[in-house]
Amino acid sequence: MKNDRLRSRFLLAAGLLLAAHMPQYAQFVNFSLWEDSGIEASGGAPGGITVEDYDGDGQIDLLLLNAQLGFSYSNTLYRNNGNGFESVGESVLPPHAAKFNAGAFADFNGDGIKDLYIGAWNFQTFLNTENRLFAGDGTGMFAPVAAGPPVTDQNSTAGCSWADANGNGWLDIFVANSSVNFGSAPNALYLNQGNGTFSKEAEDIIVAGPAQFSFSGNWADVDGDKDLDLFVANAWVPDQLYYNDGAGNFSLYEDEQALFNTYTGLSYHGAWGDYDNDGDFDLFVPGELVNYLYNNDGAGVFRRVEGQWEYSLDTPTGAWGDYDNDGDLDLFVTSFYDNQNAMFRNDNGQFELETDAVIPLLDGFAGLADFNGDGFLDIAVANGGFPNTDLHAAVYLNEGNDNSWAQYTLAGNSPNTAAIGAVVRIKATINGQETWQMRQVASSSHSSESTQLHFGLGDAAVIDSIVIEWPDGQVEAYGPVDVNVPCILEQGEEPPCLRVGLHERQRLQASLELTPNPARGSVALFLEAEEAIGPCTISLFHLTGQLAWSAQQEASGGRLNMAINLAGLPAGLYYLQVQAGGKQLVKNLVITP
């Protein structure tokens, strides 16, 4: 229940269940304008939104990027203090007055502190300014970094994103450029040298070739080969998807069935999300006249899915999020000129336009996060002053429902301490069905989301399993885990949420060893419990949730020693689950080719 400060309610869905057959977990939600949030469109026209917990206090902060014509304003950084936002940009960020459209946080130097890269918008001007890289100092303050080409090149940058492009552990920067002075400019990939500086990649296909007017680059492991691929959104030429071989060598996806942006107008960005919960990343591309949804078949082959979402006019933002916490990703889109935002409610992979889900404001940019810490995704919006509209910025709070949730912040090994590129999968029983969900940690100026991962869980009372694929290739599996508890998942450490209300009741108190691991052909299992456990079920699951093998065993005296035949199972990442007496224990297993 929100307090009585929250007024001017705008329905984003029907508050009543209109169909008797709809399950309880499908309740939708209302949003209310947070009138005294402290957010305001001052100091220029908002040219974008970046959401992130920049100071590590557990609260999601907000950066409004300035696109004001002229050079008299800087970006505005709002710190979330738990009760609202306070503008701290002038005291926290060094002066950097210019026009900006892009900003993304990451730990580029491996010190465990968030840094910030911002891109300058120098479109059709000779008065160019450079992009900026600011290093966090651990006290919430930032200092400029002389990092080489990323801060000396002068182009018109529309988007920037962080990723370990070449698999060496250090985060690199992809920059989507629209122009230089009055001509086209090539995109740029800046490779992190591990010493505070970057080199500029000149030969790879993603930056070589004819210059084009690009708006963003968004990373995801598209084909499931455990490296990050890149989607580039362009204007007036088709968008591009590049596959990564793991070492930073890219090849262009050329499947004609994908039909990426058949209308070669303007695409703003690529929003990756597993909307059908089948274990791979699908793609939504918002654009100028047509929006596109592409379904991934699991091997990185795409097909276009048609629907009402295609026709929201001039859509700069498409934001995946489980707004009603029912266990699948809904889609929120904004519009520059359509005079309305729209929400598409997802029920088991099928979308329905919520006709009442229109915030009656004309918004260009959006960022989603749980700003008030209640487990439900809120929405920040900003309008940069397009025709017939007023400048504004606002936050709408999600009033929630009875559904469960989970929120995870990942802490990886140095140098990639924010675990950019990590994939988290969870399994829970929702409305009587075992359901797997997947999220990826990403940091892009056009991703609309923070690095905090949010899952809706419907009526689930417990999370059966968490499987984490860390950027360095390590895989960890845990379970069971409590719901409705925000949690830090630290690489190599048992998560604290494992012990919240469930540790003694449902976690099997035993040691479990798999030898060898990685394995091929067979693996030896040794289980030793602290007490007799009797009959148990041994199950081997692929990370997509498919059951690969299962058997009933008797753990005599609390010990079990057996061999498991892996012949015929494809190479990949698996986890083994031991269940006995209503308790369970899990262990990851890698099967090699």
Side-chain angles (χ1 to χ4, degrees):
M1 178 71 67
K2 311 297 180 190
N3 60 44
D4 56 7
R5 302 178 307 165
L6 309 176
R7 300 182 297 275
S8 303
R9 178 173 302 173
F10 299 100
L11 295 178
L12 278 188
L16 299 176
L17 298 178
L18 302 181
H21 67 277
M22 292 180 66
Q24 181 179 1
Y25 73 89
Q27 303 172 68
F28 217 70
V29 289
N30 298 328
F31 284 72
S32 295
L33 175 63
W34 192 353
E35 291 193 344
D36 55 353
S37 66
I39 301 295
E40 57 184 27
S42 60
I49 289 179
T50 298
V51 292
E52 186 58 70
D53 177 12
Y54 80 87
D55 55 359
D57 65 354
Q59 307 283 349
I60 305 299
D61 310 299
L62 192 152
L63 174 68
L64 284 185
L65 295 152
N66 169 56
Q68 174 72 32
L69 295 177
F71 290 83
S72 56
Y73 299 108
S74 295
N75 298 314
T76 306
L77 179 62
Y78 288 96
R79 180 180 176 272
N80 187 342
N81 60 23
N83 296 310
F85 295 87
E86 54 181 327
S87 178
V88 297
E90 292 184 0
S91 60
V92 168
L93 292 174
H96 56 285
K99 295 180 289 182
F100 295 93
N101 264 14
F105 290 91
D107 177 14
F108 86 92
N109 54 11
D111 63 357
I113 303 166
K114 294 284 175 60
D115 312 304
L116 173 64
Y117 187 75
I118 55 175
W121 179 247
N122 297 312
F123 184 61
Q124 293 188 343
T125 177
F126 292 111
L127 301 174
N128 289 346
T129 187
E130 298 87 2
N131 296 345
R132 304 284 198 274
L133 177 61
F134 300 125
D137 68 357
T139 68
M141 304 289 291
F142 292 88
V145 178
V151 296
T152 58
D153 287 350
Q154 289 188 350
N155 296 309
S156 188
T157 295
C160 61
S161 54
W162 294 94
D164 179 8
N166 55 7
N168 68 353
W170 293 93
L171 290 178
D172 311 304
I173 308 170
F174 177 80
V175 172
N177 288 317
S178 59
S179 70
V180 55
N181 296 333
F182 291 88
S184 298
N187 297 325
L189 177 62
Y190 301 109
L191 298 177
N192 194 330
Q193 301 301 295
N195 59 4
T197 66
F198 293 77
S199 65
K200 188 175 183 179
E201 174 61 54
E203 302 298 329
D204 204 287
I205 187 175
I206 65 174
V207 295
Q212 54 203 9
F213 201 103
S214 298
F215 262 76
S216 75
N218 300 93
W219 301 86
D221 180 9
V222 174
D223 51 2
D225 63 353
K226 313 309 172 189
D227 54 45
L228 292 175
D229 310 301
L230 177 66
F231 177 83
V232 179
N234 298 313
W236 308 303
V237 297
D239 302 327
Q240 294 147 332
L241 174 62
Y242 297 98
Y243 284 141
N244 189 351
D245 70 354
N249 302 306
F250 293 85
S251 58
L252 182 62
Y253 178 79
E254 295 180 339
D255 188 336
E256 293 183 357
Q257 293 181 353
L259 301 175
F260 284 126
N261 190 3
T262 52
Y263 166 73
T264 54
L266 190 157
S267 294
Y268 288 101
H269 69 100
W272 294 104
D274 182 15
Y275 76 84
D276 51 2
N277 286 340
D278 64 351
D280 54 55
F281 290 105
D282 309 301
L283 177 64
F284 181 77
V285 182
E288 182 182 22
L289 293 181
V290 181
N291 305 319
Y292 293 92
L293 176 62
Y294 302 101
N295 183 267
N296 187 347
D297 73 348
V301 177
F302 292 84
R303 64 177 179 85
R304 180 179 168 187
V305 182
E306 297 181 348
Q308 290 176 284
W309 51 80
E310 295 179 329
Y311 308 114
S312 178
L313 184 63
D314 207 1
T315 304
T317 299
W320 293 111
D322 190 353
Y323 299 96
D324 56 351
N325 282 355
D326 68 345
D328 47 31
L329 291 173
D330 310 300
L331 180 63
F332 175 72
V333 299
T334 64
S335 174
F336 278 144
Y337 296 103
D338 216 13
N339 207 31
Q340 64 180 25
N341 302 324
M343 177 72 76
F344 296 92
R345 177 171 53 86
N346 183 356
D347 278 334
N348 298 317
Q350 301 297 316
F351 291 95
E352 180 179 346
L353 175 64
E354 290 290 332
T355 56
D356 293 327
V358 176
I359 299 174
L361 291 173
L362 178 58
D363 294 311
F365 310 101
L368 61 105
D370 178 12
F371 292 115
N372 60 354
D374 65 353
F376 287 82
L377 290 175
D378 311 306
I379 301 175
V381 294
N383 174 33
F386 288 85
N388 303 315
T389 64
D390 296 324
L391 297 179
H392 76 268
V395 173
Y396 292 87
L397 291 177
N398 190 331
E399 295 186 354
N401 54 31
D402 294 330
N403 289 339
S404 300
W405 51 270
Q407 288 182 161
Y408 302 124
T409 300
L410 272 62
N413 291 337
S414 184
N416 189 358
T417 63
I420 304 297
V423 173
V424 175
R425 304 171 193 262
I426 68 172
K427 184 183 74 170
T429 299
I430 301 175
N431 198 41
Q433 299 292 322
E434 284 192 352
T435 302
W436 279 93
Q437 298 182 64
M438 176 180 68
R439 305 285 189 269
Q440 179 173 275
V441 182
S443 180
S444 168
S445 57
H446 293 280
S447 67
S448 304
E449 304 161 53
S450 73
T451 57
Q452 182 186 73
L453 303 181
H454 172 270
F455 296 84
L457 294 169
D459 62 355
V462 63
I463 299 168
D464 300 320
S465 303
I466 299 178
V467 182
I468 311 166
E469 302 170 46
W470 294 98
D472 61 7
Q474 183 180 359
V475 179
E476 296 176 334
Y478 300 100
V481 177
D482 208 354
V483 299
N484 300 340
V485 177
C487 190
I488 296 176
L489 304 180
E490 184 175 355
Q491 188 168 1
E493 300 291 334
E494 184 179 88
C497 45
L498 189 68
R499 298 187 292 270
V500 178
L502 289 167
H503 182 71
E504 298 298 331
R505 179 167 55 89
Q506 290 189 311
R507 186 170 186 268
L508 185 62
Q509 301 301 303
S511 62
L512 176 63
E513 298 295 333
L514 299 175
T515 308
N517 189 7
R520 175 72 267 171
S522 67
V523 64
L525 178 151
F526 180 71
L527 175 75
E528 185 172 15
E530 297 177 1
E531 57 185 19
I533 59 176
C536 59
T537 301
I538 315 294
S539 302
L540 185 64
F541 294 89
H542 191 268
L543 286 186
T544 59
Q546 291 181 310
L547 177 65
W549 173 89
S550 184
Q552 303 290 322
Q553 296 291 327
E554 181 74 29
S556 178
R559 295 167 63 92
L560 180 62
N561 195 347
M562 62 179 293
I564 300 175
N565 184 6
L566 305 178
L569 295 180
L573 302 173
Y574 294 76
Y575 81 94
L576 186 136
Q577 178 188 72
V578 179
Q579 290 182 311
K583 301 180 180 181
Q584 65 176 338
L585 187 64
V586 293
K587 188 85 171 182
N588 62 279
L589 172 67
V590 178
I591 299 180
T592 59

